[in-house]
């Protein structure tokens, strides 16, 4: 064994108990005693998750036997000085069915390195070996799916040795092991692989490969119009979409040469059925995560270069990395002709519905929302629509506004594509060769001006760092597009978000300055009656309200903390909260 490698042996030890056994070997530990830590968060998901709480047992030994290992904080361990190499043996509980964690049972194993691999303090720049041990008593037909590069004689999809140039790379390649359905496609000479875990009868793999190919090729054309070079070839031989199918999943997490996705079974295409509306959501997610291969995995904020995995890393720039990516995800579906313009406008309209639904957008800018992602966007509660704005959805609308403003001011000679290519040239392409320190916090106005010759600093100050609504009616009018609002329901509403619950209707959010808020109703209240008539579910509520006009006052009975309460509420005309976008002229 090469003495330079830090080695992580992974044993699929206990599928029914969901436990991995890990053996970490450090050839040259710190002579004064080695420190080790597990990441507190996973890049791309901005919340402290304390993965170390899943480490159940841990012991350390050297060439002459057991040595002391003590925990010094929530995710750090200190070993006594070791003679020769240091070995750490530990078990990790893996029953988190998400793109962020680790999950292991009799059907498959999935893990992110952030859940399994202790970082050797002060040796994070050393090359790492992953040694995946083949199980003996189960999973004899299992194969390994990851874009982590193979080491020496390991066969593609085989158990055995894989390698990474350093710790940061090691934890950036999730691994799926099992018997998934797999399809492959080649985009401009680069291998792509779709790995789908979970039962999907009649899954149309060819359709997925066909559409994903178009999306990936269109993105490569955007960033590399001349060379058509795929972005991940600096880190891997192939790009892997690791997809877990469940009954209600939706989400993704980006990596340098792969992504982990969670997909709702009914959003996937089957051979017998035309894909439904959910299929565009699935392709949007595919597009979103692939776009991150450039935007955030290589073009990234300076504060992420490198990440500090022990604490939150604050940046005001997630509107660039998530917002721009959210603009381009659906735009790439349109440009690659996976969806048509009508469908694109429908998806865009849902974005307007979301951004303009609450008062939070007047209290928080998308820059502030980025900065507070750790404690606010990722910790949403009943008051969030009233208190915060999404750097995803408003960030996507702002990216569109920037694009249209740049095109308007340059007579369509420049647009956001030029900004993306400029950032790719200056910050992204050479990132993993150490040629970029990332994007400084307040540099976007300069970057945009350098890329396009247009000074949009005031525009950015106003709508990214300020809270004014973006004047979309005017911006769209220039390009022959109309934006209209209608009321989703023909009867007065209560200005609440709600769900059916046992015995009544549970208020999830009372929108600020809405009629329910003004009447004294609150999130958590269980509505049971309107003017003395039972109203125990959405249908009953709508039927009752349909008989009233704006201006009338009703009595609402609710339970709050099991106590019956009564409120007087004066109805208002329903709000026009549903958006419609249409092309009205070709310009
Ligand atoms: Zn994203």
């Amino acid at each position: 064994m090469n003495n330079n490698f830090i080695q992580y042996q992974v044993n699929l030890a206990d599928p029914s108990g969901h436990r991995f056994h890990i053996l970490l070997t450090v050839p040259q530990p710190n002579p004064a005693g080695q420190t080790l830590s597990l990441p507190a968060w996973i890049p791309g998901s901005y919340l402290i998750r304390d993965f170390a709480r899943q480490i159940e047992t841990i012991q350390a030994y050297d060439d002459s036997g057991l040595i002391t290992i003590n925990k010094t904080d929530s995710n750090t361990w200190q070993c006594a000085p070791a003679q020769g190499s240091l070995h750490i043996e530990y078990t990790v509980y893996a029953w988190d069915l998400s793109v962020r964690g680790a999950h292991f049972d009799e059907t498959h194993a999935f893990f992110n390195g952030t859940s399994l691999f202790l970082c050797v303090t002060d040796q994070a720049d050393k090359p790492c070996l992953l040694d995946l041990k083949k199980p003996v008593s189960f999973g004899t037909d299992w194969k390994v799916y990851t874009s982590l590069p193979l080491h020496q004689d390991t066969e593609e999809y085989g158990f055995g040795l894989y390698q990474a140039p350093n710790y940061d790379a090691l934890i950036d390649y999730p691994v799926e092991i099992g018997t998934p359905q797999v399809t492959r496609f080649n985009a401009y000479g680069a291998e792509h692989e779709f790995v789908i875990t979970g039962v999907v009868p009649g899954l149309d793999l060819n359709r997925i490969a066909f559409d994903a190919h178009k999306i990936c090729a269109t993105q490569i054309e955007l960033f590399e119009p001349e060379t058509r070079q795929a972005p991940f070839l600096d880190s891997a031989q192939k790009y892997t979409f690791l997809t877990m199918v469940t009954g209600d999943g939706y989400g993704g997490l980006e990596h340098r040469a792969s992504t982990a996705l969670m997909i709702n079974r009914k959003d996937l295409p089957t051979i017998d059925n035309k894909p439904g509306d959910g299929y565009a959501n699935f392709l949007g997610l595919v597009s979103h995560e692939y776009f991150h291969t450039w935007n955030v995995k290589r073009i990234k904020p300076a504060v992420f270069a490198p990440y500090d995995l022990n604490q939150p890393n604050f940046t005001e720039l997630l509107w660039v990395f998530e917002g721009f990516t959210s603009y381009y995800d659906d735009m790439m579906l349109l440009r690659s002709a996976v969806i048509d313009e009508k469908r694109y406008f429908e998806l865009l309209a849902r974005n307007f519905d979301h951004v303009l639904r609450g008062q939070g957008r007047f209290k928080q800018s998308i820059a502030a929302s980025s900065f507070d992602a750790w404690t606010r966007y990722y910790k949403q509660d009943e008051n969030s629509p009233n208190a915060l704005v999404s750097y995803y959805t408003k960030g996507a609308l702002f990216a569109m506004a920037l694009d249209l403003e740049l095109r308007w001011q340059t007579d369509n000679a420049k647009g956001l594509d030029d900004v993306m290519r400029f950032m790719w040239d200056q910050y992204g392409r050479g990132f993993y060769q150490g040629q970029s320190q990332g994007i400084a916090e307040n540099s976007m106005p300069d970057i945009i001006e350098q890329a396009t010759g247009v000074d949009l600093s005031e525009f950015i100050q106003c709508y990214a760092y300020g809270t004014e609504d973006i004047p979309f009616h005017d911006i769209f009018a220039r390009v022959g597009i109309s934006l209209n609002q209608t009321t989703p329901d023909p009867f007065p509403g209560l200005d609440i978000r709600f769900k059916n619950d046992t015995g009544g209707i549970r208020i999830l959010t009372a929108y600020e300055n809405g009629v329910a808020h003004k009447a004294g109703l609150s999130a958590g209240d269980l509505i049971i009656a309107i003017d003395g008539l039972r109203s125990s579910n959405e249908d009953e509520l709508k039927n009752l309200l349909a008989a009233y006009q704006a201006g009338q006052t009703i009595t609402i009975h609710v339970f709050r903390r099991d106590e019956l309460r009564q409120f007087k509420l004066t109805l208002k005309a329903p709000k026009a909260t549903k958006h419609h976008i249409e092309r009205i002229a070709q310009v």
Side-chain angles (χ1 to χ4, degrees), residues 44 46 252-254 285 288-289 292 295-296 321-323 325-326 329 378 391-392:
Y46 306 110
L253 193 58
E254 64 277 8
L285 185 63
H288 182 97
E289 301 307 336
H292 273 317
N295 195 35
V296 93
F321 296 98
E322 292 300 347
T325 301
S326 296
D329 58 24
Y378 270 87
Y391 50 80
Y392 284 91

Side-chain angles (χ1 to χ4, degrees), residues 408-441:
W408 176 251
Q409 291 205 23
T410 62
D411 207 9
N412 224 15
K414 299 283 180 187
L416 199 60
D417 290 0
D418 297 283
V419 177
M420 296 314 304
R421 281 190 286 266
F422 178 84
M423 291 200 288
W424 177 240
D425 276 339
Q426 298 291 312
Y427 299 95
R429 195 184 287 112
F431 181 78
Y432 288 121
Q433 288 80 49
Q435 291 164 17
S436 165
Q437 298 305 305
I439 291 185
E441 282 297 296

Side-chain angles (χ1 to χ4, degrees), residues 191-498:
E191 280 300 324
H192 296 68
E193 171 173 279
F194 237 103
V195 177
I196 300 176
T197 300
V199 178
V200 190
L203 177 64
D204 191 347
L205 284 168
N206 290 338
R207 177 71 192 256
I208 292 173
F210 181 78
D211 288 333
H213 171 254
K214 287 204 278 189
I215 295 163
C216 295
T218 302
Q219 296 193 13
I220 293 169
E221 289 157 18
L222 163 65
F223 281 97
E224 295 284 12
E226 278 147 34
T227 66
R228 305 285 164 97
Q229 168 105 343
F232 57 85
L233 296 173
D234 58 2
S235 304
Q237 298 291 317
K238 63 181 176 186
Y239 185 95
T240 306
F241 295 89
L242 296 180
T243 309
M244 167 57 79
V245 182
T246 67
D248 57 0
Y250 186 80
L253 193 58
E254 64 277 8
H255 298 281
R256 68 184 65 184
S258 57
T259 179
L261 308 173
M262 288 269 287
I263 292 294
N264 191 321
R265 186 171 289 107
K266 69 179 179 349
D267 290 348
L268 289 171
T270 55
I271 288 161
D272 297 330
N273 291 316
K274 207 169 159 284
D277 283 354
Y279 185 49
N281 295 339
F282 164 65
L283 293 177
L285 185 63
V286 167
S287 179
H288 182 97
E289 301 307 336
Y290 195 70
F291 198 85
H292 273 317
T293 319
W294 291 272
N295 195 35
V296 93
K297 292 313 302 185
R298 287 167 179 81
I299 307 165
K300 58 171 72 193
V303 298
F304 289 177
Y307 301 110
D308 177 349
L309 295 170
N310 290 312
Q311 56 190 348
N313 293 185
F314 296 101
T315 173
E316 284 188 323
L317 289 176
L318 294 183
W319 58 273
V320 176
F321 296 98
E322 292 300 347
F324 285 20
T325 301
S326 296
Y327 168 52
Y328 274 104
D329 58 24
D330 288 342
M331 177 58 79
M332 288 291 127
L333 302 189
L334 177 64
R335 280 198 207 167
S336 59
V338 167
I339 59 171
D340 61 15
E341 188 177 82
K342 183 169 170 288
R343 182 77 179 119
Y344 176 71
F345 284 159
E346 286 169 4
L347 295 170
L348 187 58
R350 298 294 76 74
N351 218 2
F352 277 93
D353 294 349
H354 185 265
V355 172
L356 299 176
R357 71 184 172 155
Q359 298 292 301
R361 70 187 198 274
F362 298 123
K363 299 177 183 171
Q364 191 187 45
S365 68
I366 48 177
S369 175
S370 300
F371 193 84
D372 278 340
W374 300 83
T375 51
R376 302 191 70 188
Y377 188 80
Y378 270 87
K379 290 188 177 180
Q380 295 198 30
D381 60 23
E382 73 287 346
N383 194 44
S384 294
N386 297 326
L388 54 84
V389 73
S390 163
Y391 50 80
Y392 284 91
T393 50
K394 190 182 173 188
L397 295 188
F398 179 62
M400 169 174 271
L402 271 179
D403 197 8
L404 292 172
E405 187 67 21
L406 288 168
R407 289 167 190 263
W408 176 251
Q409 291 205 23
T410 62
D411 207 9
N412 224 15
K414 299 283 180 187
L416 199 60
D417 290 0
D418 297 283
V419 177
M420 296 314 304
R421 281 190 286 266
F422 178 84
M423 291 200 288
W424 177 240
D425 276 339
Q426 298 291 312
Y427 299 95
R429 195 184 287 112
F431 181 78
Y432 288 121
Q433 288 80 49
Q435 291 164 17
S436 165
Q437 298 305 305
I439 291 185
E441 282 297 296
N442 49 12
S443 62
M444 282 312 293
D446 275 353
I447 286 172
I448 290 171
E449 187 166 0
Q450 287 181 60
T452 64
V454 181
D455 175 5
L456 286 184
S457 48
E458 243 175 80
F459 193 85
I460 294 167
Q461 189 58 37
C462 194
Y463 304 118
Y465 292 86
T467 57
E468 260 182 69
D469 275 343
I470 302 164
F472 266 106
H473 289 281
D474 299 342
I475 291 172
F476 278 169
R478 294 167 179 167
V479 289
I481 292 170
S482 71
L483 173 67
N484 296 303
Q485 291 108 303
T486 57
T487 55
D489 294 307
F491 48 83
L494 300 181
D495 296 333
I496 55 173
R497 217 160 53 84
F498 60 90

